[in-house]
Amino acid sequence: MRILVTAGPTHEPLDDVRFLANASSGRLGFAVAAAAMALGHRTVLVCGPTPLPPPFGPETVRVETAASMREACLAAFPAVDAVIMTAAVADWRPAQRHQGKLKKDAGPPDLPLVRTADILSELSSRREHQILVGFALEAADGEVNARQKLTGKGLDLVVLDSPAAIGAERSDFVLLGPGGWRNHYRSISKEILAHRLVSFVANARLLTGR
Ligand code: CTP
């Protein structure tokens, strides 16, 4: 298969030196891309800014913002069979990027925010045959919210995780699929989860015939 994997956070600039971001390390997405390569799939990795070294092997596109991640994903999408969207895409960006550096003597800046595009929903609306896997990072009501993402974004599989997974080596994950299907992994390493996930995606393709 040809698999598109996204990883890491996005940075949404406020001025030339400051940005809004989140705590994603990219580690899980890198593990998924490495697993996809190890299992013999042609892999494109689109990753946001992170100090971790990306895995050796995948065609890698480095991006900064949600807008540039969207562009890279839309460009790769027609040629892939599956998308595993682990990236922690920022939902909001500053409405305006100030040139240069905002000075503190000017007082606290007005910080109006605007929504970024929901990349996964957009890919879902353009889908031809691709299997789509999303992540749901939930602090509360995990399975209910994750199932809403599964149906709302038109996905084949959602991986539920929690804030405790950020930067951690191992964590609890629940895989959720259509028809109430679920698989709970307790304290599993991100590397092993990544292998399971890529195998599920390959099987899902056989099952759905996509
Ligand atoms: N996602 C995306 N584009 C966005 C935001 C999220 O493609 N602008 C993807 C993520 O990569 C993930 C899934 O959608 O696979 C769910 O992301 P999450 O942040 O958990 O949910 P949101 O849809 O952003 O909703 P909320 O933050 O309200 O939980």
Side-chain angles (χ1 to χ4, degrees), residues 14-18 98-107 109-110:
L14 168 59
D15 63 15
D16 288 352
V17 296
R18 304 183 182 94
H98 295 267
Q99 297 296 314
K101 185 184 168 203
L102 286 164
K103 299 299 285 176
K104 69 171 172 287
D105 287 348
D110 260 354

Side-chain angles (χ1 to χ4, degrees), residues 6 85-91 116-121 133-138 149 153:
T6 66
M85 190 90 197
T86 81
V89 187
D91 291 323
T116 58
D118 188 316
I119 301 169
L120 202 44
S121 296
V133 180
F135 275 67
L137 180 75
E138 304 294 343
K149 284 173 190 171
K153 299 194 187 205

Side-chain angles (χ1 to χ4, degrees), residues 40-65:
H41 303 291
R42 250 197 287 155
T43 308
V44 182
L45 171 64
V46 173
C47 75
T50 158
L52 293 183
F56 179 73
E59 175 191 336
T60 301
V61 184
R62 285 188 173 276
V63 297
E64 199 71 22
T65 61

